[in-house]
């Protein structure tokens, strides 16, 4: 049935020839908005569509409409046998859908926007012509969807491509997913989509997401096109539809539902919040250069202020009310938004105290909607509608603790607050909890329990000196892209950067790792009573079950050493020399 329709469509092109497209089809024409041009070569029958919508060829409604119309016309133009899509921008093929179309959208426009996007995809994916993408720049999300809808993809080295929708907290449509599966396979596709993977051209080639790499993708496409055009059009087209028919049919059947889903999904508060963050981040990405961290609240505040473009627009999420000193400092120094979270049941009295103190500073106190346990504090005069438009940076002031119940509470609150992906938002973790001796946060924790992708953790400010002991643990990880150098402010910090000392501790740890807890604990207890009891609190039965523990212990050792106490130094020496330990 589908193939019959295709045959009919191909046949009907003959009669449409010359009608559907302007008479002066050959040569160069520009779109009404000058967002792209078409160069139709009479000799080869190949039309090159060059997108030139500055700054990023992002697909807004008008751009898609015009582009879609042009492709549909070319699809019907008999003298056109091949279409190549490319970009005139130096480093971007297409940045995908214009995020501004989805951020704080007008309902009618949003509906039109998605309908047109479906339409352009159909026009490309079911084009009877040979369609190629000369991907001469970045091609994320919608850019990749467009490229995937073509028959052949040649990309310039180094740039990136992929369906990164989850990074924005949104979901690629099923038809884009289907087209990706058809190209790179089910498993790779699922993996790439879930993780919102952006691949370099080199990586993309390895997984067949693109077909070739070339320094001149347009020329390479033109050359490759000649091979494709050697074959009779009807045979090639029918073969294409034999392959794609089921995907096209599925899309057509599901497109109404897909549209309904989209217009319902996008305006959701959480999605808007995620898009706002992403957008802000995109805008300010280049300008943010965060450098140092200091172990003093005032200095941290000053640093943040200095580094953030607009400090007052930053939202601070303060997890665990504690005594609120850090939050108060932030507020005093100009921050207008702080969300304080606390488990009311467990700490109601404390929360009330905080609330009262904050009330003096804030003229209005609002309960966080849909939640009984999260309280929101904000300055009067802050526009309600901007409340959830995301800050440039999310700052999480969190209680890093060895208390499992508090940790899971924090995870819970984080999940509740942010059921979506943080995307590329840098997250600052601060703590003023000087009692803490351990961080149980590692990459796995962050990804699974707290659902913050590790890449978001690009910057960390740690106030608590004892927690600084954890910093070296993070060093080797590639994922922590910009770990800030901590200004040595104490012997402890100096020590942390003393590689030899650190190695010494590591050697020692190797010897008691993998040993049963029962054998190790009493020995640790003997030399370091606090550490032993903490391990007991954590209910650890085998040390090797807790991979992070090595650094925790290292941290503890450093802490002991930093106390400049001969006894502690002796402990280290003894431990390091006792291999049987
Ligand atoms: C039920 C289904 C639900 C939902 C499905 C929704 C499907 C969505 C598919 C999408 O396409 S979502 C859009 C995703 N797009 C992106 O994530 C790309 C974002 N852009 C970038 O990562 C980068 O801009 C780039 C790698 C493409 C290029 O980087 P660079 O060369 O450094 O350029 P700039 O970042 O400085 O960008 C220049 C300029 O353009 C603005 N911009 C970039 N992308 C977009 C966009 N997609 N929408 C709107 N605006 C965009 C960027 O903010 C810069 O603006 P300035 O004013 O600061 O110059």
């Amino acid at each position: 049935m589908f193939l019959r329709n295709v045959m009919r469509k191909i046949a009907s092109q003959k009669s449409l020839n010359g009608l559907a497209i302007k008479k002066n089809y050959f040569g160069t024409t520009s779109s009404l908005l000058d967002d792209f041009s078409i160069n139709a070569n009479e000799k080869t029958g190949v039309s090159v569509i060059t997108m030139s919508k500055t700054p990023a060829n992002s697909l807004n409604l008008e751009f898609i409409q015009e582009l879609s119309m042009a492709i549909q016309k070319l699809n019907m133009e008999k003298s056109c046998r091949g279409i190549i899509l490319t970009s005139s921008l130096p480093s971007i093929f297409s940045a995908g859908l214009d995020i501004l179309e989805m951020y704080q959208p007008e309902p009618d426009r949003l509906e039109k926007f998605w309908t047109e996007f479906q339409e352009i995809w159909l026009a490309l994916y079911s084009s009877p012509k040979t369609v190629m993408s000369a991907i001469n720049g970045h091609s994320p999300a919608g850019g990749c969807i467009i490229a995937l809808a073509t028959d052949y993809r040649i990309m310039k080295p180094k740039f990136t491509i992929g369906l990164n929708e989850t990074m924005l907290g949104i979901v690629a449509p099923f038809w884009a997913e289907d087209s990706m599966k058809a190209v790179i396979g089910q498993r790779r596709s699922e993996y790439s989509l879930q993780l919102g993977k952006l691949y370099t051209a080199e990586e993309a080639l390895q997984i067949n997401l693109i077909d070739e790499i070339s320094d001149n993708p347009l020329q390479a496409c033109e050359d490759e096109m000649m091979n494709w055009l050697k074959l009779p059009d009807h045979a090639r087209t029918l073969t294409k539809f034999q392959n794609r028919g089921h995907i096209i049919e599925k899309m057509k059947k599901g497109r109404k539902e897909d549209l309904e889903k989209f217009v319902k999904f996008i305006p959701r508060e959480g999605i808007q919040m995620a898009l706002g963050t992403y957008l802000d981040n995109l805008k300010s990405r280049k300008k943010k250069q965060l450098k140092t961290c200091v172990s003093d609240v005032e200095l941290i505040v000053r640093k943040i202020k200095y580094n953030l473009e607009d400090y007052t627009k930053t939202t601070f999420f303060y997890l665990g009310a504690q005594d609120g000193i850090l939050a108060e400092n932030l507020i005093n120094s100009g921050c207008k938004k702080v969300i304080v979270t606390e488990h009311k049941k467990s700490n109601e009295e404390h929360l009330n105290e905080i609330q009262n103190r904050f009330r003096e500073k804030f003229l209005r106190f609002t309960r966080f909607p849909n939640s009984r346990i999260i309280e929101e504090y904000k300055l009067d005069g802050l526009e309600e509608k901007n409340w959830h438009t995301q800050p440039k940076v999310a700052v999480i002031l969190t209680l890093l603790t060895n208390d499992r119940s508090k940790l899971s509470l924090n995870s819970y609150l984080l999940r509740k607050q942010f059921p979506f992906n943080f995307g590329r938002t840098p997250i600052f973790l601060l703590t003023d909890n000087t009692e803490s001796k351990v961080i149980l946060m590692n990459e796995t924790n962050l990804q699974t329990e707290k659902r913050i992708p590790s890449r978001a953790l690009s910057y960390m400010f740690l106030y608590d000196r004892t927690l600084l002991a954890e910093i070296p643990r993070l060093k080797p990880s590639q994922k922590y892209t910009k770990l800030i150098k901590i200004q040595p402010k104490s012997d402890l910090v100096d020590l942390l950067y003393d590689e030899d000392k650190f190695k010494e501790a590591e050697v020692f740890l190797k010897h008691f790792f993998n040993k049963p807890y029962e054998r190790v604990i009493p020995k640790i207890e003997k030399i370091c009573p606090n550490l032993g009891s903490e391990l007991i609190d954590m209910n650890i039965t085998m040390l090797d079950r807790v991979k992070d523990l090595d650094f925790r212990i290292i941290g503890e050792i450093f802490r002991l050493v930093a106390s400049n106490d001969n006894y502690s130094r002796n402990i280290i020496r003894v431990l390091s020399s006792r291999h049987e330990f």
Side-chain angles (χ1 to χ4, degrees), residues 15-48:
S15 54
L16 281 166
N17 184 22
L19 288 177
I21 204 154
K22 281 186 223 146
K23 280 203 180 113
N24 60 345
Y25 162 66
F26 296 109
T28 304
T29 47
S30 287
S31 68
L32 284 175
L33 298 169
D34 263 348
D35 283 343
F36 63 91
S37 60
I38 305 176
N39 187 292
N41 185 324
E42 186 170 5
K43 234 162 90 188
T44 59
V46 177
S47 287
V48 176

Side-chain angles (χ1 to χ4, degrees), residues 55-56 58 91-92 95-100 102 114 138 140-142 145 164-165 168 170-173 261-262 265-266 278-279 282-283 285-286 424:
S58 59
S91 61
I92 303 176
L97 293 187
D98 192 326
I99 300 168
L100 294 169
M102 296 180 284
W114 195 250
H138 295 294
I145 295 179
N164 61 320
E165 279 78 353
L168 287 80
I170 55 180
V171 184
K261 196 165 135 195
F262 178 78
F265 179 78
I266 292 296
Y278 191 79
L279 205 54
L282 200 59
K283 294 274 173 215
R285 188 158 47 111
K286 290 175 220 151
R424 287 200 234 156

